Amino acid sequence: MVSAKKIKAAAIVALCMSAAVASAQTPEEVRARCRAENRPCVGLVLSGGGARGFAHVGVIKVLEEMGIRVDVIAGTSMGAMVGGAYAAGFSYEQLESTVLGVDWDQMLAPRPDRAILPFRRKLDDYKSLPSSGIEIGADGVPTLPDSFVPSEELALFLNEKTGTVSMIEDLARLSVPFASTATDLVSGERVVMQKDCTLGQAMRASMSLPGVFAPLPYHRKLLVDGGLVDNLPVELARSMGAEVLIVVNVGTPLSKRSELNSVVGVMAQMVNLLTEQNVRESLASLTDEDVLITPDLEGFTSADLKRSADIIKRGEEAARKSQAALLKFARPRAEFLAWNETRMRPFADEDARKVHRLSDIRVASRRRSAVAPERVLNVADISADKPVTNAELDDASRRVWAEGNFETITYRFDPGPNGTEVLVFEPREKRRGYSSVRLGGSVQTNFEADNSFNLLFSHSWNLLNDWGAEWRNEIQVGEERRFTSEFYQPLGAGSPWFIQPKVEYAREPFDVYEYGDPVERRRNETLLVDFMLGREIDRLGFAGASLGWIRTKSSQEVGVEGTSDKFSSWYLGGEFLYDTLDNINFPTRGVRFSALGRLTNDTSGNEGGDEYYSVDALVPYSVGRWTLTFSGEVGRSTVSSAFSLGGAKRLAGSAYGRWTGSRMQYGRLSLAREISGTFDAIKQPVWIGAAAEAGRAWNPNAPKTSESSDDDWHYAGSVYVGIDSLIGPLFFSYGRTFGDESAFFFLWGRRD
């Protein structure tokens, strides 16, 4: 049993610790306190190492079991994440659950979840346009993105985990004095993150691996990963007052020559060379009184983020092997428990702090702001009339970020009246009038004569006024040629109503078949001028009404001289889109329904008539890794041969554009299974599936000698492998259209 005398002594230690946390602890004060307790000042040094840094959590578990009090902590990169959380007051259990609970797919996603994208960004998916592109500066010079991974999810994660101590801007005031290292990207100098910064900023700066996460702007500096200059901050811990050190090194060793066989491998080696040099200096400065723990992480890389449980275990095993050396730092159990309880006090009621009573909601003002605060508040859709949780605020920040006009958007709380809080959104927006260039397209081949490609060039000018106008121009070359210019103008800051004038010219060739062989090559040309008044439906889609003018022409390119089909007319139109699909290429949940209709006053007697409509739907249903998907489409056009069937995903087996017409009906049922989790070597989502299709496309007024007049149904079946790759969807399939042809197909992008 613990004696009453020991408990009383422990209580006195706890009271002293509580008083110390209220103010910054200087190195001299830290040493003086340790001398008063007749023990050396213990520093914990945690190195960087990416996912290998999860081993630090296992080491901390053993330190707590042994009753080792840590007086100062210094960390770099992942060591800053783990060490900073422990210094702030995280228990070991909270550390472990946080690491194991991170959704790394979401953290490292190149864009927000599709469900929260505004409809215009959802429509880009159907053009195979990437979420980001090359930005054009005011001087006309193109610039590449500053990182592969957006920083929003990392910022929200740190905001949530450090929010309890976010008011502390001197990290020597944490439960355990803490500091991390970062690198000034301009000067290459080491920057110590402790004074005049929050814990979230210190973690964020030290974690900013160049190229992965964007540099952190901080006091006119650009900060990146501290591992480049000080991956094992031994001297930093000593400068904070430490007299003896517990050092945990999880850095990635240099690769062997046989492993340097790719650009990625060479670049990683260059970073590791810089890191290894400064680590050797730090290791050389250790004394016999210090304890070095080097977990056995053979087989683990810095990118093995989803193997956190195994890496934590390796850290625990390494610490247990060093227990004999660590024993000299252990304190009496009662004393340690009292200290540890005080250390964890800031996060003891963490769950209660996740619910907030608000008195006001504001947007932090910025000079030369390009986005009206009303837009941020309307999209965030948070009310001060009821309590709000951190999870709700994270979702609100993601919705605003998904607009595409912000680098990051986080939030903080200021004190409000009567125990309430003022919620302050802090957006870091892109500059007014920024523009970007993106490239998309598609390639399809049956490895024989049927080959087609399209390349899409898209340029957007954004934030052209306070209401968030955007002017976009697109040029597509290849099999289908198109030029589009549209101006999107919301009718107020944050208003769901918008107007959109548009001019479009499109030219598409198609073949006319007789007895199964192409006998004629024709092309459709369309010139359209459209003015739409529309309303966004809360990120689910939009509805709009249009007034416009259209001119169409179908003429011959190759073959026996034939007829020309053309008309021009004013029209009234309507358009509707409802799209909640999680992924348009490999959907597992949600639904898509779209409809477009136009009524013209054409009197030229063209083949297509005077009505145009197109309706399509797609519904997936998933059970585990299996997904059953139904899609269908019907259409009628004012132009002969405006619709086509055939190709990799439209009656597979037949040639692309095998059947064309001014009328079309089509349905597809597919069953697919995601298999990427089956093979450790496969990192991208991979699907295998089979599909059954039925469809017809025809021209009612075409000559009976032409297959275009045939309104018979055609049926097809196919099997395929699909990869949701970083460069877009890839499909390898074999299909057969019964009564026609069979073929192997390769498809990159979308050719619906």
Side-chain angles (χ1 to χ4, degrees):
M1 293 182 61
V2 179
S3 67
K5 184 176 181 181
K6 288 184 177 180
I7 294 176
K8 182 177 180 181
I12 293 173
V13 171
L15 288 173
C16 293
M17 284 298 301
S18 297
V21 170
S23 59
Q25 303 174 71
T26 66
E28 292 75 17
E29 290 171 337
V30 172
R31 292 193 188 98
R33 174 169 50 79
C34 292
R35 284 194 293 270
E37 297 169 5
N38 195 30
R39 63 182 185 85
C41 180
V42 179
L44 178 62
V45 180
L46 305 179
S47 80
R52 293 162 62 96
F54 295 146
H56 297 316
V57 178
V59 172
I60 287 174
K61 177 183 180 180
V62 176
L63 297 184
E64 286 200 348
E65 288 178 358
M66 296 183 66
I68 295 176
R69 285 177 55 182
V70 176
D71 298 293
V72 298
I73 301 176
T76 298
S77 194
M78 190 62 77
M81 298 280 282
V82 175
Y86 190 71
F90 270 52
S91 66
Y92 161 73
E93 290 78 13
Q94 287 171 319
L95 278 175
E96 184 180 45
S97 64
T98 297
V99 169
L100 297 179
V102 174
D103 184 345
W104 292 106
D105 289 334
Q106 182 181 41
M107 179 77 75
L108 302 177
R111 71 172 192 179
D113 189 283
R114 192 171 186 275
I116 63 173
L117 290 178
F119 79 90
R120 287 177 60 78
R121 299 190 68 187
K122 288 183 177 181
L123 289 174
D124 289 342
D125 290 344
Y126 297 94
K127 304 173 185 177
S128 296
L129 285 172
S131 57
S132 61
I134 300 173
E135 292 198 4
I136 309 298
D139 54 3
V141 177
T143 58
L144 292 171
D146 56 8
S147 64
F148 289 114
V149 180
S151 303
E152 175 67 8
E153 288 297 336
L154 176 61
L156 287 177
F157 175 80
L158 296 177
N159 194 60
E160 176 194 358
K161 298 304 179 184
T162 66
T164 301
V165 294
S166 61
M167 74 296 296
I168 297 176
E169 294 192 350
D170 182 348
L171 304 185
R173 293 179 54 202
L174 295 176
S175 296
V176 178
F178 171 75
S180 66
T181 62
T183 304
D184 186 333
L185 189 59
V186 177
S187 67
E189 297 177 348
R190 184 186 75 163
V191 177
V192 174
M193 301 294 289
Q194 186 186 59
K195 307 298 182 183
D196 198 21
C197 70
T198 65
L199 179 58
Q201 288 175 320
M203 291 177 169
R204 168 73 175 81
S206 196
M207 275 288 293
S208 297
L209 184 65
V212 179
F213 292 111
L216 176 72
Y218 173 78
H219 295 305
R220 298 185 178 181
K221 297 178 180 179
L222 283 178
L223 302 184
V224 295
D225 195 327
L228 299 176
V229 292
D230 195 359
N231 198 50
L232 192 65
V234 167
E235 291 307 315
L236 175 59
R238 295 196 197 281
S239 70
M240 295 167 65
E243 296 169 316
V244 291
L245 300 176
I246 300 172
V247 179
V248 186
N249 182 25
V250 297
T252 304
L254 295 177
S255 300
K256 300 176 183 177
R257 180 171 181 173
S258 60
E259 297 171 330
L260 301 176
N261 51 15
S262 69
V263 173
V264 175
V266 172
M267 293 178 65
Q269 183 81 334
M270 291 173 64
V271 174
N272 290 340
L273 283 170
L274 294 173
T275 302
E276 187 67 17
Q277 289 176 7
N278 66 67
V279 166
R280 288 174 182 171
E281 293 179 6
S282 296
L283 292 175
S285 69
L286 298 181
T287 70
D288 293 339
E289 295 298 314
D290 303 322
V291 176
L292 173 64
I293 300 174
T294 306
D296 178 8
L297 296 174
E298 181 72 27
F300 294 95
T301 72
S302 60
D304 284 330
L305 298 168
K306 295 184 179 181
R307 302 176 67 186
S308 53
D310 294 332
I311 296 174
I312 290 173
K313 186 177 180 180
R314 292 291 183 93
E316 180 182 346
E317 292 171 352
R320 294 198 186 284
K321 291 179 180 178
S322 300
Q323 280 182 312
L326 292 169
L327 192 60
K328 60 187 175 183
F329 302 132
R331 304 301 299 167
R333 196 62 186 168
E335 176 189 326
F336 172 79
L337 291 177
W339 169 82
N340 204 35
E341 181 181 355
T342 301
R343 182 190 65 80
M344 296 186 298
R345 189 168 296 162
F347 288 87
D349 58 346
E350 184 181 9
D351 291 338
R353 295 173 185 268
K354 291 182 179 180
V355 179
H356 308 271
R357 289 193 309 114
L358 304 179
S359 57
D360 194 11
I361 304 174
R362 301 172 185 168
V363 178
S365 61
R366 296 175 63 90
R367 291 187 302 169
R368 299 185 298 277
S369 177
V371 180
E374 294 86 354
R375 177 68 181 178
V376 174
L377 296 177
N378 285 352
V379 174
D381 193 24
I382 293 293
S383 172
D385 297 333
K386 60 181 181 180
V388 63
T389 65
N390 286 346
E392 290 173 324
L393 293 174
D394 286 349
D395 287 341
S397 296
R398 291 188 182 100
R399 286 195 296 272
V400 179
W401 175 55
E403 294 279 291
N405 297 321
F406 300 94
E407 302 289 351
T408 59
I409 175 164
T410 55
Y411 57 87
R412 71 171 193 268
F413 296 99
D414 290 343
N418 303 318
T420 62
E421 297 173 289
V422 176
L423 170 63
V424 182
F425 285 105
E426 299 180 300
R428 184 159 70 89
E429 65 192 47
K430 299 178 181 178
R431 58 180 174 78
R432 179 185 291 274
Y434 75 93
S435 67
S436 64
V437 173
R438 293 177 293 165
L439 297 177
S442 64
V443 173
Q444 178 176 263
T445 179
N446 66 355
F447 304 101
E448 293 183 3
D450 184 15
N451 307 291
S452 64
F453 81 95
N454 290 303
L455 177 63
L456 176 62
F457 174 92
S458 177
H459 177 256
S460 299
W461 268 306
N462 306 272
L463 300 180
L464 295 177
N465 54 39
D466 292 340
W467 289 357
E470 176 188 348
W471 183 17
R472 179 181 295 188
N473 294 280
E474 294 180 349
I475 298 176
Q476 179 172 291
V477 297
E479 188 80 8
E480 303 170 10
R481 305 175 190 179
R482 177 174 61 85
F483 168 75
T484 303
S485 180
E486 63 183 23
F487 190 85
Y488 172 77
Q489 176 64 70
L491 298 180
S495 172
W497 291 93
F498 65 89
I499 57 173
Q500 181 175 280
K502 177 174 73 172
V503 176
E504 181 175 79
Y505 171 78
R507 176 174 172 173
E508 180 178 2
F510 64 94
D511 292 329
V512 178
Y513 282 74
E514 288 185 11
Y515 306 109
D517 296 316
V519 297
E520 187 179 348
R521 183 75 165 176
R522 300 179 65 86
R523 69 170 180 268
N524 287 332
E525 296 179 79
T526 302
L527 176 62
L528 178 142
V529 180
D530 185 271
F531 184 90
M532 177 191 291
L533 171 64
R535 190 183 195 281
E536 182 174 1
I537 309 172
D538 193 25
R539 298 174 182 268
L540 302 176
F542 75 97
S546 300
L547 173 65
W549 178 83
I550 186 171
R551 184 182 71 188
T552 66
K553 181 180 179 181
S554 179
S555 57
Q556 185 173 306
E557 286 187 342
V558 179
V560 180
E561 184 176 353
T563 60
S564 179
D565 181 9
K566 60 183 178 180
F567 88 103
S568 61
S569 172
W570 292 95
Y571 67 82
L572 291 174
E575 191 168 355
F576 176 79
L577 172 69
Y578 182 88
D579 185 352
T580 61
L581 296 177
D582 59 337
N583 185 308
I584 67 166
N585 301 303
F586 305 95
T588 61
R589 63 180 185 274
V591 64
R592 170 188 161 89
F593 177 81
S594 71
L596 171 64
R598 299 190 189 110
L599 180 62
T600 71
N601 64 347
D602 176 56
T603 59
S604 62
N606 69 87
E607 273 190 27
D610 59 0
E611 296 178 2
Y612 173 91
Y613 65 82
S614 175
V615 179
D616 72 85
L618 188 151
V619 182
Y621 177 75
S622 296
V623 177
R625 289 181 176 269
W626 290 94
T627 300
L628 182 68
T629 303
F630 167 78
S631 60
E633 183 178 354
V634 296
R636 170 174 174 161
S637 176
T638 54
V639 182
S640 61
S641 303
F643 301 104
S644 65
L645 294 174
K649 298 181 71 178
R650 305 270 280 188
L651 295 182
S654 55
Y656 178 75
R658 170 66 176 82
W659 290 279
T660 60
S662 61
R663 307 287 191 273
M664 189 265 290
Q665 297 168 356
Y666 171 76
R668 186 175 193 262
L669 186 66
S670 67
L671 179 64
R673 188 182 193 278
E674 207 241 318
I675 64 169
S676 40
T678 307
F679 307 100
D680 291 337
I682 299 178
K683 302 301 183 182
Q684 301 296 320
V686 178
W687 295 78
I688 58 172
E693 303 170 276
R696 57 178 181 169
W698 76 102
N699 289 316
N701 299 322
K704 295 301 182 182
T705 57
S706 169
E707 283 192 13
S708 295
S709 65
D710 182 6
D711 62 357
D712 290 342
W713 284 86
H714 307 281
Y715 304 93
S718 63
V719 292
Y720 63 88
V721 175
I723 305 174
D724 200 4
S725 75
L726 295 175
I727 61 171
L730 303 172
F731 290 91
F732 302 87
S733 67
Y734 171 79
R736 180 173 183 82
T737 300
F738 302 105
D740 196 74
E741 298 180 75
S742 63
F744 287 95
F745 282 95
F746 166 75
L747 172 65
W748 166 70
R750 292 185 61 85
R751 290 299 300 267
D752 292 343

